[in-house]
């Protein structure tokens, strides 16, 4: 029984790791769990969001020091959205899966 429960919890954890995170609704713990966002960036996101929700990715990039187009692409690839939308410069399908699509040329992501 214990092993079955642990397997279910591991599966649930891996599924949630690939679930999308809306930046305008994310809590501090949600943000800290995203690869590429540390405590400092989490604090800056939350502080800027207290003033007003982010309208879109350019608004997030403009208002949060340390987030530029390159980091926005990485965050979008991790499943982060702003206003329900992935970053326009992110690879197709990245926000839906939380993963970068495989590169058929190199055999890697």
């Amino acid at each position: 029984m214990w092993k079955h429960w642990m397997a279910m919890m591991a599966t649930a954890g891996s599924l949630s790791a690939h679930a999308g995170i809306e930046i305008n609704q994310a809590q501090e713990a949600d943000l800290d769990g995203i690869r590429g966002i540390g405590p400092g960036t989490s604090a800056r996101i939350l502080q800027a969001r207290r003033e007003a929700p982010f309208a879109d990715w350019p608004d997030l990039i403009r208002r949060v020091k340390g987030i530029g187009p390159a980091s926005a692409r990485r965050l979008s690839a991790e499943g982060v959205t702003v206003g329900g939308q992935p970053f326009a410069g992110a690879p197709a399908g990245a926000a839906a899966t939380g993963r970068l699509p495989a590169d058929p040329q190199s055999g890697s992501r």
Side-chain angles (χ1 to χ4, degrees):
M1 177 81 169
W2 176 253
K3 287 182 183 180
H4 179 68
W5 183 81
M6 290 298 289
M8 286 181 5
M9 294 306 292
T11 300
S14 68
L15 290 175
S16 66
H18 296 295
I21 296 175
E22 169 55 44
I23 203 82
N24 285 313
Q25 297 174 354
Q27 301 298 314
E28 183 176 12
D30 299 325
L31 295 172
D32 287 342
I34 300 169
R35 185 172 45 172
I37 295 183
T41 302
S42 291
R44 287 190 295 274
I45 290 169
L46 293 172
Q47 180 60 41
R49 195 177 73 195
R50 279 186 204 101
E51 297 167 13
F54 299 105
D56 50 26
W57 281 96
D59 185 34
L60 175 72
I61 292 168
R62 185 174 47 257
R63 292 171 47 201
V64 179
K65 181 182 174 186
I67 297 182
S71 57
R73 273 190 294 281
R74 285 190 302 273
L75 294 173
S76 188
E78 289 291 319
V80 175
T81 60
V82 177
Q85 299 298 311
F87 182 63
T97 63
R99 303 164 132 198
L100 293 171
D103 179 359
Q105 297 283 337
S106 67
S108 65
R109 296 196 249 177

